[in-house]
Amino acid sequence: MQPRITAKVICTDREVGEVSYVIADPIAKSVSHLVIKADGRESVVAIDGLIAGCTEREVRLTCASGALAAASAPFRRDDFVTIHDVEIPHLERNLDQVTPGGVLVPLPVLEKDLSRRQFFTRFTNVIGAMLALPLVFPVVRYLIYPLYQPFTNLWIKLGAINAMGQEPGVPKLFKFQKTVLEGYITRHYEKSHWVIKLTPELRDKIYPNGDHEFRDDKGTLIWVNKKDADIAVLSGKCTHLGCAFRWRKHKRFGQVFVCPCHLSVFDPSGTVLDGPAPRRLDVLPLKISGSGEVEIIDMEFKAGKAEQVRIA
Amino acid sequence: MFEAVYRWIDERIDLKGLQAKMLNEPMAGGARYAYVFGSALLFIFIMQAVTGLLLMFYYAPTADHAWESTKYIIEKVDFGWFILSYHLWGSSAMVAVLIMHISQVYLWGAYKKPREMVWLAGLLLFLIVIGFGFTGYLLPWDQRSYWATVIGIEIVDKAPILGDFLGRFLRGGPVPGAQTLSRFFVIHIMILPAALMAVAGLHIFLFRKAGPAGPFRGTTKELKEKMEYFFPTQVWKDIVVMGLVFVIVCTLAVRWPHEMLEEASPVASGLNPEPEWYFLFLFQLLRDPALAFLFSGEFGEFLGAILLPTLFLLLLAALPFIDRSPERNIFKRPIALTSWVVVMTSIVILTVRAIMFRE
């Protein structure tokens, strides 16, 4: 046998029964109706504006018992569900005064002692941090390992100088085989750069400050391109955003390099004539052996920047 | 600041209520170290998922580069050897803790009514973990991986009716090769993790619905008096054990980092193929001279490799329905206790013999 919680309902003239259920409006989250049990019958009545006063033991209404009977309807239990059957957010917060047949359980530690709960929560987080923090450094190093590899500065054979075009000032697209170790895979693929036979004007435009020095971050000299060399090799990567550009006849500029992506225009020396390219075309380190074998270091530079920043 | 964020979210979704529901689980008889193994398994799984994810940054799941990419991880990438060794030792830890968890549930009779479904979901999880071990073993594609897989799939092939089909399905063809690696990879990193998360979710849901079984000794009154909620005492014990597991696996990874053998090849090598330690008992069952009278010959192999393990698993699945007695005290369940001791001792003896009789 379990005790039930009830409150007496008292109209202006007399006591009419006791509360057997409280009905809440799920949207307004307030009590909308009472189910009053009297003489073994249960009837449901809207109590909007009817409640004069409420204590633990009684509900006092503003109307007379006759008027209440007229406003009541028979209570059908099947028309309603308990708050355990539906999910009504924050209902308990709004109805904390109502405990219809309320059942309680002992207060758990979680709710009881704030300082103890906080202590345990903090301790758990500390242990979690002690496990996780020593892993942060190794995991970050693990993930970034291949990102900033040092440059290899390998010389790649481009071909014989005789095969590189005879006409001065006319660039020729030259394809070559590149072999690269990418982590654990050695990849072979075809790449191309522009080789141009130099004229005095081109020499002045490409090497305005004389022989061109290639240095690394620390200032160590890697190579020097001689100004008086027969040819120069220009990187086939557009300095705007890295597209491969072409040698075309342009309406305004005549025979020039034109990039199909965003229409940057460069003259045969690589100087920017038009379009969004922020700097001139990049010149690559070049070596010609005694037997006429042309070699380059296939350097790569960041696109989209006015200054030349080497990335490979 | 953290409290302010918490309050903001709580105001909208009743986070405190959710937290209360999750953490205020009543435990009759109080928190015990005996109950930590489930949480420890969850922790190990999360660590496996994290280290596995990191390995996938560099691992190439194709026959031409699987071995080299694994070597790259071990020899070149910073702390790659540690991540990989942690992943491998973690898988052994998972099986070890799984055996402890199953044993604890069995001995405490926590498979009995109303917890039959929790037990069945648990058995499914057991199979998933075995699947992880089997498929993961192939991925480095060294000699040990290759031969263990050849043999493992050959055993599957001997299953009646479906064996040939299953074997071909796992191999991706009639013989093991590049297709096998692709299939094992997708099973290992997609299918089994998804299955594990779904079934583990179900397992925990069913467990919470049924409630913890609690100690097998003590009157209802005693257990009620000693009742504790999940937080903070059991959570504390769980965290201690998780920390311990982490430290142990880290120590093993650092002390005995994984060493790869040469790349997989069908050529006969000097290697004596052997499965992982948790399969050694089955391995020995099939080749122990003392048991040859039972398990030699085609039928004997079928008996030892397929029929007996399947029957044993079916017996475990049927356990809650065969053992209907509500008695949970292991010392008052002689058949249960004896069976456990016999099975565990046999497994230990067979494992030890497998190691002793290595060529």
Side-chain angles (χ1 to χ4, degrees):
Chain A
M1 250 220 358
Q2 294 166 4
R4 292 196 64 196
I5 301 163
T6 59
K8 296 198 192 308
V9 182
I10 305 175
C11 284
T12 48
D13 49 341
R14 62 180 176 88
E15 182 184 313
V16 290
E18 50 181 45
V19 176
S20 60
Y21 291 102
V22 171
I23 295 173
D25 180 342
I27 309 297
K29 298 196 180 61
S30 56
V31 179
S32 58
H33 296 70
L34 288 179
V35 178
I36 302 171
K37 188 167 178 175
D39 307 320
R41 278 185 3 253
E42 286 173 316
S43 28
V44 57
V45 59
I47 47 115
D48 197 27
L50 283 183
I51 295 193
C54 233
T55 68
E56 268 177 22
R57 302 266 180 85
E58 13 179 85
V59 179
R60 289 191 170 276
L61 300 180
T62 55
C63 62
S65 55
L68 189 72
S72 304
F75 172 64
R76 284 199 304 266
R77 176 68 183 81
D78 290 338
D79 286 347
F80 300 92
V81 291
T82 69
I83 57 171
H84 301 293
D85 302 317
V86 294
E87 181 76 36
I88 300 176
H90 306 302
L91 183 65
E92 289 80 16
R93 273 191 215 170
N94 293 46
L95 295 182
D96 57 357
Q97 300 297 311
V98 177
T99 51
V103 177
L104 307 174
V105 291
L107 182 66
V109 169
L110 185 67
E111 314 306 324
K112 201 184 288 181
D113 187 343
L114 186 69
S115 62
R116 191 165 176 225
R117 168 179 42 145
Q118 273 184 346
F119 169 77
F120 272 104
T121 313
R122 286 205 184 118
F123 208 86
T124 307
N125 290 337
V126 163
I127 300 226
M130 275 171 61
L131 295 185
L133 282 178
L135 289 179
V136 169
F137 177 73
V139 169
V140 168
R141 287 289 299 262
Y142 175 87
L143 289 172
I144 68 172
Y145 173 75
L147 270 51
Y148 301 99
Q149 291 297 303
F151 304 133
T152 48
N153 292 329
L154 293 169
W155 287 100
I156 299 177
K157 284 197 199 343
L158 215 52
I161 190 160
N162 298 328
M164 299 213 167
Q166 303 301 319
E167 247 192 282
V170 177
K172 183 171 166 163
L173 185 69
F174 214 80
K175 291 190 191 150
F176 63 99
Q177 276 292 320
K178 182 151 181 176
T179 299
V180 130
L181 178 64
E182 292 170 345
Y184 48 85
I185 295 185
T186 303
R187 265 209 314 149
H188 311 278
Y189 55 94
E190 216 176 48
K191 257 187 108 168
S192 60
H193 290 310
W194 293 92
V195 182
I196 185 161
K197 192 152 178 172
L198 292 172
T199 63
E201 300 86 42
L202 282 175
R203 283 204 182 85
D204 285 333
K205 284 191 109 175
I206 292 175
Y207 302 120
N209 305 318
D211 292 345
H212 186 94
E213 285 179 355
F214 291 92
R215 290 184 180 273
D216 69 7
D217 283 335
K218 297 190 191 72
T220 322
L221 186 66
I222 301 170
W223 182 252
V224 180
N225 267 6
K226 291 267 180 230
K227 182 170 177 175
D228 60 7
D230 283 334
I231 56 168
V233 177
L234 301 174
S235 167
K237 190 172 135 177
C238 176
T239 49
H240 175 230
L241 285 174
C243 289
F245 51 86
R246 303 173 187 153
W247 178 250
R248 286 275 181 279
K249 196 159 176 130
H250 192 276
K251 264 193 301 238
R252 225 171 94 198
F253 299 105
Q255 198 71 28
V256 284
F257 290 120
V258 182
C259 184
C261 290
H262 310 99
L263 303 175
S264 294
V265 179
F266 309 87
D267 75 6
S269 76
T271 314
V272 181
L273 296 175
D274 194 27
R279 67 174 190 275
R280 55 154 293 116
L281 293 177
D282 300 312
V283 177
L284 298 178
L286 167 76
K287 172 159 82 172
I288 308 172
S289 71
S291 52
E293 189 78 48
V294 177
E295 286 177 277
I296 55 159
I297 300 178
D298 187 23
M299 292 184 176
E300 291 206 36
F301 303 93
K302 232 186 217 289
K305 289 186 97 73
E307 50 161 336
Q308 198 188 53
V309 175
R310 190 175 171 194
I311 52 174
Chain B
M1 202 236 23
F2 187 71
E3 268 95 47
V5 174
Y6 184 91
R7 257 183 283 116
W8 190 90
I9 301 175
D10 178 44
E11 204 183 321
R12 286 150 183 75
I13 65 167
D14 192 19
L15 195 58
K16 245 199 258 177
L18 181 68
Q19 199 180 290
K21 263 204 196 115
M22 293 214 312
L23 297 178
N24 288 339
E25 182 191 22
M27 303 176 62
R32 298 275 169 97
Y33 275 106
Y35 309 149
V36 297
F37 300 111
S39 301
L41 278 169
L42 195 60
F43 171 72
I44 296 174
F45 172 65
I46 292 170
M47 287 307 297
Q48 290 302 95
V50 167
T51 50
L53 179 76
L54 290 170
L55 289 171
M56 275 197 280
F57 265 84
Y58 297 109
Y59 173 73
T62 51
D64 54 354
H65 286 110
W67 188 82
E68 278 124 332
S69 58
T70 311
K71 205 162 173 356
Y72 179 69
I73 291 171
I74 294 175
E75 293 182 1
K76 290 273 170 17
V77 182
D78 291 337
F79 301 103
W81 62 270
F82 175 72
I83 305 278
L84 191 134
S85 302
Y86 189 100
H87 195 76
L88 283 170
W89 280 110
S91 70
S92 282
M94 187 156 231
V95 176
V97 176
L98 188 56
I99 294 172
M100 294 182 214
H101 181 58
I102 298 177
S103 294
Q104 187 265 318
V105 170
Y106 175 86
L107 293 170
W108 262 248
Y111 55 83
K112 301 189 185 224
K113 178 175 174 178
R115 295 177 180 86
E116 302 96 322
M117 285 200 284
V118 192
W119 174 256
L120 290 174
L123 280 180
L124 199 52
L125 285 169
F126 170 73
L127 291 174
I128 292 173
V129 169
I130 300 293
F132 268 116
F134 183 57
T135 52
Y137 209 55
L138 177 66
L139 302 185
W141 199 250
D142 68 357
Q143 282 286 52
R144 186 170 21 221
S145 307
Y146 180 78
W147 289 105
T149 306
V150 165
I151 295 164
I153 302 183
E154 285 290 352
I155 294 177
V156 170
D157 185 86
K158 304 298 168 292
I161 309 164
L162 286 177
D164 180 66
F165 174 76
L166 273 174
R168 282 172 193 263
F169 188 84
L170 285 173
R171 269 188 231 108
V175 290
Q179 294 301 317
T180 319
L181 186 57
S182 287
R183 287 178 181 233
F184 272 43
F185 184 67
V186 74
I187 292 171
H188 190 79
I189 68 145
M190 264 292 165
I191 298 175
L192 288 177
L196 186 102
M197 288 193 279
V199 179
L202 181 67
H203 186 69
I204 294 174
F205 167 76
L206 291 168
F207 164 72
R208 286 297 298 255
K209 274 284 172 187
F216 52 72
R217 263 196 283 243
T219 63
T220 322
K221 184 166 177 292
E222 287 169 357
L223 295 179
K224 219 166 38 172
E225 273 164 19
K226 294 213 203 92
M227 184 207 77
E228 286 174 316
Y229 287 98
F230 180 59
F231 181 91
T233 41
Q234 187 63 47
V235 170
W236 164 250
K237 291 183 161 72
D238 286 353
I239 300 256
V240 165
V241 171
M242 285 185 205
L244 196 65
V245 166
F246 179 72
V247 166
I248 290 174
V249 177
C250 280
T251 310
L252 291 169
V254 170
R255 178 65 185 81
W256 288 288
H258 181 70
E259 277 164 26
M260 278 218 300
L261 301 178
E262 332 89 65
E263 190 167 1
S265 131
V267 167
S269 67
L271 168 80
N272 289 328
E274 210 180 64
E276 271 282 38
W277 63 269
Y278 42 86
F279 287 132
L280 280 178
F281 73 97
L282 207 53
F283 172 68
Q284 187 63 16
L285 191 79
L286 295 169
R287 68 171 200 165
D288 196 307
L291 297 169
F293 70 97
L294 273 175
F295 299 121
S296 59
E298 197 179 319
F299 180 75
E301 277 171 11
F302 168 72
L303 182 70
I306 297 178
L307 191 59
L308 276 183
T310 310
L311 287 178
F312 183 68
L313 274 167
L314 287 173
L315 180 66
L316 285 180
L319 191 59
F321 308 100
I322 299 174
D323 180 6
R324 290 182 189 270
S325 147
E327 177 65 68
R328 284 181 49 232
N329 187 336
I330 187 61
F331 302 110
K332 295 196 183 143
R333 294 155 54 207
I335 303 176
L337 183 59
T338 318
S339 315
W340 184 82
V341 170
V342 166
V343 168
M344 283 295 153
T345 315
S346 316
I347 290 178
V348 169
I349 291 177
L350 283 168
T351 308
V352 168
R353 281 175 75 86
I355 298 169
M356 273 166 55
F357 294 132
R358 271 179 182 153
E359 272 151 55

